[in-house]
């Protein structure tokens, strides 16, 4: 019975370790997801900024070349 109690403790620890590992993995995935979302948002802002700058540049060329 001492031996079986010892194995029971081992199994309990394994379950606890698995649960802690799952929590850490979930946190890590959330952090990675947040990072990816921020990167996408930055890229979208940059695209909008470049698009707006391009429109302004084209308008400036049209005005500068008008007779």
């Amino acid at each position: 019975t001492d031996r079986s109690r010892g194995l029971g403790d081992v199994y309990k620890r394994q379950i606890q370790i698995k649960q802690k590992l799952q929590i850490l993995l979930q946190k890590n995935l959330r952090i990675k997801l947040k990072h990816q979302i921020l990167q996408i948002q930055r890229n979208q802002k940059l695209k909008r900024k470049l698009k707006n700058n391009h429109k302004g540049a084209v308008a400036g060329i049209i005005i500068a070349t008008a007779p």
Side-chain angles (χ1 to χ4, degrees):
T1 55
D2 288 339
R3 189 178 184 105
S4 64
R5 268 192 240 133
L7 289 176
D9 291 342
V10 170
Y11 293 133
K12 286 179 189 176
R13 279 196 297 273
Q14 286 178 344
I15 291 170
Q16 291 171 348
I17 290 170
K18 282 183 180 181
Q19 289 171 341
K20 288 179 182 180
L21 183 59
Q22 285 177 332
I23 290 169
L24 289 173
L25 289 172
Q26 287 172 352
K27 286 181 182 180
N28 188 30
L29 288 174
R30 276 190 293 242
I31 290 169
K32 285 183 178 183
L33 183 60
K34 285 180 184 179
H35 178 72
Q36 288 176 344
I37 290 169
L38 288 172
Q39 189 66 37
I40 290 168
Q41 290 172 340
R42 281 189 219 118
N43 288 343
Q44 289 173 339
K45 285 181 185 179
L46 183 60
K47 284 180 184 178
R48 282 194 299 270
K49 190 174 184 179
L50 289 172
K51 187 176 180 181
N52 290 336
N53 286 344
H54 178 71
K55 285 179 184 176
V58 170
I61 291 170
I62 292 170
I63 291 169
T65 57

